[in-house]
Amino acid sequence: MLKKLATLLLGAASVTGLSGAALSAEKWDMPMAYSATNFHSVTGAEFAKCVTTGTGGAIEITTHPSGSLFKGNEIKRAVQTGQAPIGERLLSAHQNENPIFGLDSVPFLATSFDASDKLWAAAKPTMEKLLDEQNLVLLYAVPWPPQGLYFKKEVNSVADMKGIKFRSYNSATARLAELAGMLPVQIEAAEISQAFATGVAESMISSGATGYDRKVWESLTHFYEVDGWLPRNHVFVNKDTWNGVDEANKNVIRACAAMAEYAGTWRSKEYTGFTLAGLKAGGMTVGKAGDQLTADLKTIGDTMTGEWLDKAGDEGKAIVEAFRAE
Ligand code: PCA
């Protein structure tokens, strides 16, 4: 009798779908590379909550910031291969796979939030296609604040940079260091406090946000606002995982992603001033780069733009032309 009742109940549940969500709840771990308090991580956590609530718990996303599940440089591969269903990555660090991934790190191509949005609008269809070819479905992308230079001394020209050990985060930042006569060493943001403290690196180009998150005033003294570019973090899902999601839940995820891109960009803008003030409060000298330094960097930027356009071919040129025509 009891057995019969249980069978009946189970049958009812599957017909009404009442307990369907709970029974088939999927748990998605989402590796992220930056500190939990960073605005990208906050945006990811809000996105995760939105999906969990919006799908009625059918898909429950848990973020893992600070590179705790996979380190920054492991995240893309982990999602491609299905070791993680979803993740966030600074795509420009994968420019060696395709030059288009480095579009947002071409120096002085798009140097403001508005320009970054336009460049992203021009690039998005191509980016979606390239990621799709790599078994990834793009969900949203949020820019970092404008990139500036950090040093442990006053620097007024590229000549002043000669021989300095420079922390890079992608091949564009390494190339910039090389062209400036510095010595690049690639280090994930999660590890830079250590690198600066031990002297493995003594300068970098990054946002005020990353300097603030990693308390670099403990080792460095100067931040020059250069507004070089605004690289983006991209959130993507493994394509096989995505194909297993029903249409209603896909729509929920897409809507949460659109909100995350909007809110994340807003947070990035807010974080720009807040973190530059934080660097100052930490004792750093913060200000615009001088005329000589600006002119020298512009020359390096022109070289790098030419190099990138050569490598990126027609697809790259078409994006830059569409962006410039805006
Ligand atoms: N912070 C990241 C990438 C760009 C940025 O502003 C970093 O330094 O690794």
Side-chain angles (χ1 to χ4, degrees):
M1 180 65 195
L2 261 182
K3 204 171 161 204
K4 206 169 168 195
L5 192 63
T7 315
L8 262 178
L9 276 174
L10 268 181
S14 68
V15 168
T16 59
L18 266 183
S19 60
L23 281 177
S24 64
E26 269 188 53
K27 294 196 187 302
W28 289 7
D29 286 313
M30 176 168 168
M32 306 184 84
Y34 305 94
S35 48
T37 53
N38 176 272
F39 69 94
H40 286 294
S41 309
V42 172
T43 301
E46 288 294 322
F47 165 75
K49 221 190 279 173
C50 177
V51 171
T52 303
T53 309
T55 62
I59 297 170
E60 189 183 324
I61 301 184
T62 305
T63 59
H64 299 268
S66 300
S68 57
L69 193 58
F70 289 98
K71 294 209 161 61
N73 57 4
E74 301 165 344
I75 291 174
K76 181 163 173 285
R77 178 126 289 273
V79 181
Q80 277 178 257
T81 56
Q83 286 170 278
I86 184 169
E88 179 189 69
R89 177 59 172 153
L90 181 87
L91 212 46
S92 62
H94 298 274
Q95 186 170 179
N96 57 331
E97 295 167 27
N98 192 311
I100 305 279
F101 290 158
L103 171 72
D104 61 25
S105 299
V106 176
F108 308 114
L109 178 61
T111 59
S112 65
F113 280 99
D114 278 355
S116 162
D117 278 352
K118 282 181 189 151
L119 186 62
W120 175 232
K124 199 172 170 184
T126 309
M127 222 51 113
E128 282 172 338
K129 187 195 76 178
L130 295 176
L131 289 173
D132 179 80
E133 287 165 10
Q134 296 191 335
N135 204 37
L136 296 170
V137 176
L138 176 72
L139 287 182
Y140 68 86
V142 172
W144 285 90
Q147 304 291 290
L149 282 163
Y150 288 86
F151 295 104
K152 55 201 294 185
K153 64 169 189 177
E154 188 180 318
V155 166
N156 296 309
S157 66
V158 161
D160 289 347
M161 299 182 197
K162 212 173 168 52
I164 290 179
K165 285 180 261 173
F166 182 91
R167 173 263 167 169
S168 62
Y169 60 73
N170 61 16
S171 58
T173 49
R175 179 68 180 139
L176 182 139
E178 240 168 53
L179 288 168
M182 296 190 283
L183 310 166
V185 47
Q186 180 116 353
I187 303 169
E188 286 295 323
E191 273 121 45
I192 60 175
S193 311
Q194 173 91 353
F196 290 135
T198 56
V200 168
E202 34 189 17
S203 67
M204 68 171 173
I205 191 160
S206 189
S207 54
T210 290
Y212 176 83
D213 290 344
R214 309 314 312 166
K215 298 191 172 63
V216 299
W217 54 82
E218 289 172 356
S219 307
L220 307 179
T221 55
H222 288 72
F223 179 76
Y224 294 97
E225 293 168 58
V226 168
D227 294 351
W229 61 89
L230 290 79
R232 277 174 190 259
N233 281 0
H234 298 68
V235 171
F236 37 66
V237 190
N238 173 281
K239 194 156 87 178
D240 306 313
T241 305
W242 180 253
N243 288 340
V245 176
D246 67 33
E247 204 47 44
N249 284 337
K250 275 184 183 157
N251 282 335
V252 169
I253 297 173
R254 286 190 193 105
C256 293
M259 278 199 284
E261 186 162 308
Y262 180 83
T265 304
W266 183 85
R267 286 192 187 99
S268 188
K269 289 176 189 170
E270 293 289 304
Y271 213 50
T272 303
F274 171 77
T275 55
L276 291 186
L279 295 179
K280 265 189 213 158
M284 294 186 76
T285 305
V286 175
K288 299 268 173 224
D291 290 347
Q292 185 62 50
L293 180 55
T294 304
D296 291 351
L297 291 171
K298 178 79 178 45
T299 307
I300 291 179
D302 289 345
T303 304
M304 288 180 62
T305 305
E307 288 174 352
W308 185 85
L309 282 168
D310 282 348
K311 273 195 222 134
D314 291 344
E315 221 165 26
K317 283 193 191 82
I319 297 173
V320 170
E321 272 164 29
F323 161 67
R324 286 188 169 146
E326 276 280 325

